[in-house]
Amino acid sequence: MSQVPSFVLSFEHDPRQWSKWRRWMIALVIWNLIAPVDLTLTFYSGMQEQIQDYFETTTFIATLGVGLYNFGATFGPLIGAPLSELYGRRPVYIGASVGFVIFSLGTALSPTIISLLGCRALAGLIGSAVFSLYGGSLSDMFTPDERGPLVALFTIVLQGAPTIGPVPSSLLGATVHWRWLMGFIAVWAAVITAVVICLPETEATAIRRRLAKEQGDVMAKVSTPAQQTKNIWSKALLTPIVMLRREPIVFWTAAYHAFVYGLLFLLLEAYPHVYNSHYDMSRQEAGLVFIAPFLGNLLGVLVYFCFLKPQYEAQQRATFMQSGGKREIAPEARLPGVTFASLFTPIGMFWFAFSAHPDVHWFIPVLSGVPVGMGMTLLQLSLFNYYIDLYPTRSASVIAANTAVRNLVSAVFPSIGVPLYNYLGIRNASLLLACISCVGFPTGVVLLVYGKRLRAASRWAKQDVVNVSDTASCLGVVAPLLGQPPQNTYGGTSSAAN
């Protein structure tokens, strides 16, 4: 049982007052729902060669199985968020999971490459709606102090699942038919869906609406006004675009994050090409290389929660105490984490560029994936927390904008990987990617130096204040990460005193 109520529901109906065991079980069911949706993103890569031979199609067409899934995932969270606000989280969880199972099964049974690609795109569109809900569900059931371990677990699956995805399918792809592998994803998701159907509603408005209906309240029968519905949809779909257009901080950081995240999907095609050219590895053998960036993802989570997060919280407490509770820590305090994270990806890519050579043992370039994976995870955790501190009333829309941009980039990158390496050569292509990834460090430095000035020129960014209200400094209530009222933080820390 949580010691902090939600302040919205009565004690007996407050999800935060459920037993700890029950709340953790619900969170783990949601975690297991996200896992197949995120894993299948790159799970396809390990059987791509099989699919290409089966349908007698080109490498470019076969590669679209990854890109189109990412393209669908661009819009799923933008649709899922307003639906959950209108109807509650439970119906969206059920709809997303059932739809994902149907189209995953459709992928496994597809008679043509066109139907397979269409089912992949629709599975990504419908299944990815869960990405806009999990943060809200955690906020409904847990206080900020309770959320730290859960956020670490969810970060591992959100970043680690697509990284490790090619490994199991590569191991099995040499002996198991691709239809059985895709069918496994559908069966896995179906089992979780059966449990999801039994989950209770946790969203406060939906619970109040149900209670009012059970008590015969006339107001419960009144539907959401058309104008309110329109505002919800416009906020979910248009605000992220406005933030990208009018906020240079959002645009440039989203562009860099999209590139770093998209590297994973470019490497899905580049790794098999490089390791086949230099070391005569099959595509299945090259898929095992992704164990290295997955280990980097795990190390990134450890570094963030064991070093960066405690360091920030200590600085936060010091600022609050020195000012006598009259001053909050500046959003720029998050930027050392962003700058630190932006060093790892270039290190890994330069390492890969100079070590991937027939005269160098294959294990040396494989290890270069560890800093690349660390950089991806650290950047996401640090950057999203910076967004939440910087835009306290628009953080959900900013994170939604960032996620949409990175998914769009990730939809394109798999198809340009091999052509890029063929045109520039293996070392030059890797050097180009390494040089582009270096942009993050000076960007972080510029924001550290000029961040306050940029905030002052912004309509939505948090401005420096002299006094901090007791409520803002004490409650620290967290809201969903995507498409929800922006009262939340990402990574288990709060912009208020924690």
Side-chain angles (χ1 to χ4, degrees):
M1 181 184 297
S2 171
Q3 298 300 313
V4 182
S6 66
F7 299 106
V8 176
L9 296 166
S10 59
F11 185 88
E12 63 270 23
H13 298 296
D14 184 359
R16 290 189 180 182
Q17 306 310 317
W18 295 342
S19 68
K20 186 175 182 180
W21 180 89
R22 185 185 186 190
R23 289 181 290 143
W24 266 84
M25 288 305 296
I26 294 171
L28 290 177
V29 169
I30 296 170
W31 187 94
N32 278 281
L33 174 61
I34 289 174
V37 176
D38 220 15
L39 183 75
T40 194
L41 185 60
T42 54
F43 189 77
Y44 173 94
S45 178
M47 59 190 114
Q48 181 178 311
E49 196 171 67
Q50 233 195 102
I51 292 172
Q52 182 179 339
D53 293 340
Y54 184 87
F55 290 112
E56 298 180 346
T57 188
T58 64
T59 301
F60 176 80
I61 296 297
T63 304
L64 291 176
V66 176
L68 289 175
Y69 190 95
N70 258 321
F71 184 75
T74 302
F75 305 99
L78 296 176
I79 297 172
L83 285 176
S84 71
E85 193 169 336
L86 290 169
Y87 305 109
R89 308 198 203 287
R90 182 172 177 269
V92 183
Y93 275 128
I94 295 173
S97 56
V98 169
F100 178 76
V101 170
I102 291 172
F103 288 106
S104 294
L105 186 61
T107 301
L109 302 176
S110 293
T112 66
I113 187 65
I114 299 300
S115 60
L116 182 146
L117 295 177
C119 285
R120 287 279 295 172
L122 291 170
L125 172 66
I126 298 174
S128 63
V130 301
F131 298 148
S132 64
L133 306 179
Y134 75 91
S137 296
L138 297 184
S139 172
D140 295 337
M141 297 184 291
F142 298 92
T143 65
D145 291 338
E146 296 173 317
R147 250 185 312 249
L150 283 163
V151 174
L153 281 175
F154 276 82
T155 301
I156 289 172
V157 73
L158 287 164
Q159 185 67 60
T163 306
I164 200 67
V167 175
S169 57
S170 296
L171 280 171
L172 299 172
T175 55
V176 181
H177 197 278
W178 67 268
R179 291 190 186 276
W180 286 106
L181 292 175
M182 294 306 301
F184 165 74
I185 293 292
V187 172
W188 179 11
V191 172
I192 301 301
T193 299
V195 182
V196 167
I197 292 173
C198 301
L199 290 183
E201 179 62 70
T202 62
E203 204 272 326
T205 303
I207 293 175
R208 283 194 316 226
R209 192 184 300 127
R210 175 179 58 81
L211 291 174
K213 186 176 181 180
E214 291 175 354
Q215 295 166 6
D217 191 336
V218 177
M219 294 303 294
K221 300 184 176 78
V222 180
S223 60
T224 304
Q227 185 59 42
Q228 183 180 345
T229 302
K230 181 180 178 181
N231 290 341
I232 290 172
W233 282 100
S234 63
K235 178 181 178 182
L237 299 177
L238 298 181
T239 306
I241 299 174
V242 172
M243 298 300 289
L244 276 173
R245 286 187 56 195
R246 298 186 179 180
E247 293 291 309
I249 294 177
V250 177
F251 179 84
W252 289 109
T253 54
Y256 178 69
H257 186 208
F259 173 80
V260 172
Y261 183 77
L263 270 180
L264 171 65
F265 299 93
L266 190 149
L267 293 175
L268 282 176
E269 302 302 316
Y271 273 174
H273 175 76
V274 172
Y275 288 104
N276 178 262
S277 300
H278 286 342
Y279 303 105
D280 293 324
M281 288 186 183
S282 66
R283 187 177 183 93
Q284 283 73 30
E285 291 171 328
L288 302 180
V289 169
F290 284 91
I291 293 174
F294 176 71
L295 293 175
N297 293 156
L298 298 180
L299 287 173
V301 171
L302 288 174
V303 169
Y304 182 84
F305 284 96
C306 296
F307 174 68
L308 292 176
K309 179 176 177 283
Q311 185 182 59
Y312 171 83
E313 290 175 340
Q315 186 178 355
Q316 186 182 49
R317 287 191 295 269
T319 301
F320 190 77
M321 293 179 67
Q322 290 171 4
S323 64
K326 297 180 179 179
R327 187 161 58 90
E328 286 185 321
I329 190 171
E332 287 76 32
R334 297 284 190 185
L335 289 172
V338 175
T339 308
F340 179 63
S342 65
L343 292 173
F344 285 96
T345 302
I347 289 172
M349 290 308 299
F350 278 117
W351 181 345
F352 181 67
F354 288 110
S355 64
H357 191 275
D359 296 334
V360 180
H361 193 276
W362 58 265
F363 189 66
I364 303 302
V366 166
L367 285 178
S368 68
V370 174
V372 172
M374 283 187 67
M376 290 177 179
T377 302
L378 283 172
L379 180 64
Q380 177 164 315
L381 283 166
S382 300
L383 184 59
F384 280 13
N385 272 305
Y386 173 58
Y387 284 158
I388 290 163
D389 287 356
L390 183 62
Y391 299 103
T393 62
R394 290 289 186 274
S395 59
S397 296
V398 174
I399 293 174
N402 179 290
T403 304
V405 171
R406 79 180 191 191
N407 283 336
L408 282 174
V409 170
S410 300
V412 176
F413 268 29
S415 298
I416 68 173
V418 173
L420 177 69
Y421 274 75
N422 281 332
Y423 182 74
L424 295 179
I426 289 175
R427 174 163 294 182
N428 289 338
S430 298
L431 283 173
L432 174 64
L433 296 173
C435 290
I436 295 174
S437 64
C438 288
V439 172
F441 182 78
T443 300
V445 173
V446 168
L447 290 177
L448 271 171
V449 176
Y450 298 104
K452 186 175 180 179
R453 189 180 303 177
L454 289 170
R455 280 193 287 127
S458 170
R459 176 181 173 184
W460 296 286
K462 179 180 178 181
Q463 305 299 326
D464 291 332
V465 294
V466 176
N467 295 312
V468 180
S469 67
D470 291 338
T471 301
S473 63
C474 296
L475 295 183
V477 179
V478 177
L481 302 181
L482 292 175
Q484 301 295 333
Q487 304 164 335
N488 174 35
T489 63
Y490 184 91
T493 59
S494 174
S495 58
N498 216 357

